[in-house]
């Protein structure tokens, strides 16, 4: 191998089996199931490089086929500060792993870069001509880091594996009822559940905080008449370990202005 260290080439890891499954199935004309097991998004166009120097999250366009299928059903009214009130951001599912921060003067040897999606299921259906519903369930594998720590007493180095992000389940349910024309009313609920031991989360400030479960429920609407006048908005409530919260947004105006 031309002087390449043996440990740099792990044959067992290179030959580790890795299979996946993508399936779309229509049990009835008004019901569609989309299933992905260990999906591979390697052929999806890469995102443009973005440098974020602020505290707000950058929202990127969803390009992965599983998530783009039927995505319009899950859209809700968005105020100008959309980063604050986006109920469903699928880009957080299977996202990049936050940077690993060494502990106690240790050195990071190896760290997972991506949160691997173990499996995902999407349900898209219509109860009748004016009522649509959908659900998303995504299971994300935990991410780990290998860290070496030097012990000055024994003059030895220990290598330990620790969890960077926990195994996580994302859930979404959505229902929407058309009222005629462009008008509709809808409800949406989302959940994030950390399974097993809690991992770490890196804030923009660099501070480490624990990942926690979170739940959000909302009702949204758009009422429009033939003259172009419309009223749109939502009311929402949320709960997590940090506490509960509520938010609302209403906008009235003339279409085209």
């Amino acid at each position: 191998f031309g002087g390449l260290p043996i440990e740099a080439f792990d044959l067992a890891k290179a030959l580790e089996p890795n299979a996946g499954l993508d399936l779309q199935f229509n049990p009835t004309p008004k019901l569609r199931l989309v299933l992905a097991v260990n999906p591979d998004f390697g052929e999806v166009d890469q995102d443009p490089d973005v440098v974020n120097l602020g505290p707000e999250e950058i929202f990127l366009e969803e390009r992965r086929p599983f998530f783009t299928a039927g995505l319009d059903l899950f859209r809700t009214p968005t105020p100008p500060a959309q980063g604050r009130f986006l109920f469903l951001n699928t880009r957080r599912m299977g996202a990049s792993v936050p940077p690993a921060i060494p502990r106690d003067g240790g050195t990071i040897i190896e760290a997972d870069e991506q949160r691997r999606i173990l499996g995902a299921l999407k349900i898209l259906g219509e109860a009748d001509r004016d009522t649509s519903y959908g659900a998303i369930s995504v299971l994300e594998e935990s991410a780990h880091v290998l860290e070496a720590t030097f012990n000055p007493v024994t003059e030895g180095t220990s290598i330990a594996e620790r969890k960077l992000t926990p195994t996580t389940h994302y859930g979404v349910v959505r229902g929407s009822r058309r009222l005629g024309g462009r008008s509709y009313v809808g409800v949406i609920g989302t959940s994030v559940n950390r399974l097993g031991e809690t991992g770490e989360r890196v804030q923009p400030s660099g501070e480490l905080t624990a990942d926690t479960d979170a739940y959000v429920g909302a009702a949204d609407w758009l009422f429009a008449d033939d003259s172009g006048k419309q009223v749109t908005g939502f009311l929402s409530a949320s709960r997590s370990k940090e506490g509960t919260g509520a938010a609302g947004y209403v906008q009235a105006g003339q279409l085209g202005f």
Side-chain angles (χ1 to χ4, degrees):
F1 290 97
L4 183 68
I6 295 177
E7 61 268 23
F9 182 77
D10 189 338
L11 180 61
K13 187 174 182 179
L15 298 179
E16 182 180 351
N18 186 17
L21 172 68
D22 295 296
L23 176 66
Q24 295 194 35
F25 176 54
N26 292 74
T28 71
K30 294 186 177 181
L31 179 61
R32 179 183 179 191
L33 304 180
V34 184
L35 174 67
V37 178
N38 190 25
D40 179 13
F41 300 119
E43 296 182 359
V44 177
D45 292 338
Q46 292 185 347
D47 296 314
D49 293 332
V50 177
V51 178
N52 181 18
L53 301 179
E56 298 294 335
E57 181 179 5
I58 296 294
F59 290 87
L60 300 172
E61 179 185 357
E62 182 58 81
R63 304 170 185 268
R64 297 169 295 180
F66 172 84
F67 293 103
T68 56
L71 190 59
D72 286 343
L73 172 63
F74 297 89
R75 299 190 189 279
T76 54
T78 305
Q82 63 176 5
R84 301 176 186 269
F85 296 102
L86 192 61
F87 295 114
L88 176 59
N89 181 11
T90 56
R91 291 303 302 265
R92 290 182 178 177
M93 305 173 188
S96 300
V97 177
I101 297 179
R103 290 179 175 175
D104 303 324
T107 301
I108 301 299
I109 299 177
E110 181 179 346
D112 292 331
E113 298 181 355
Q114 203 76 20
R115 297 169 176 169
R116 186 165 70 99
I117 293 177
L118 297 175
L121 173 66
K122 178 180 287 186
I123 300 174
L124 303 168
E126 294 182 354
D128 55 46
R129 186 179 61 180
D130 296 319
T131 306
S132 301
Y133 61 88
I136 301 174
S137 177
V138 176
L139 182 62
E140 183 183 86
E141 187 180 35
S142 58
H144 298 80
V145 59
L146 284 179
E147 184 174 356
T149 304
F150 177 73
N151 189 328
V153 177
T154 62
E155 295 186 349
T157 300
S158 61
I159 298 178
E161 181 183 54
R162 59 184 171 88
K163 188 174 294 185
L164 190 59
T165 62
T167 301
T168 303
H169 177 262
Y170 299 91
V172 185
V173 292
R174 172 66 166 165
S176 179
R177 174 75 177 180
R178 291 180 288 272
L179 303 177
R182 299 174 52 247
S183 300
Y184 80 91
V185 292
V187 293
I188 188 170
T190 66
S191 65
V192 180
N193 299 102
R194 319 292 178 179
L195 310 178
E197 182 184 354
T198 301
E200 299 173 349
R201 182 176 59 200
V202 181
Q203 300 294 333
S205 62
E207 177 186 1
L208 287 176
T209 61
D211 277 316
T212 60
D213 297 344
Y215 305 89
V216 176
D220 58 289
W221 61 84
L222 168 64
F223 301 117
D225 60 18
D226 295 337
S227 67
K229 295 179 180 179
Q230 64 178 29
V231 177
T232 185
F234 65 78
L235 291 174
S236 68
S238 62
R239 180 173 66 86
S240 67
K241 185 177 180 180
E242 285 80 7
T244 59
Y249 163 72
V250 177
Q251 183 180 46
Q254 185 79 20
L255 184 63
F257 291 88

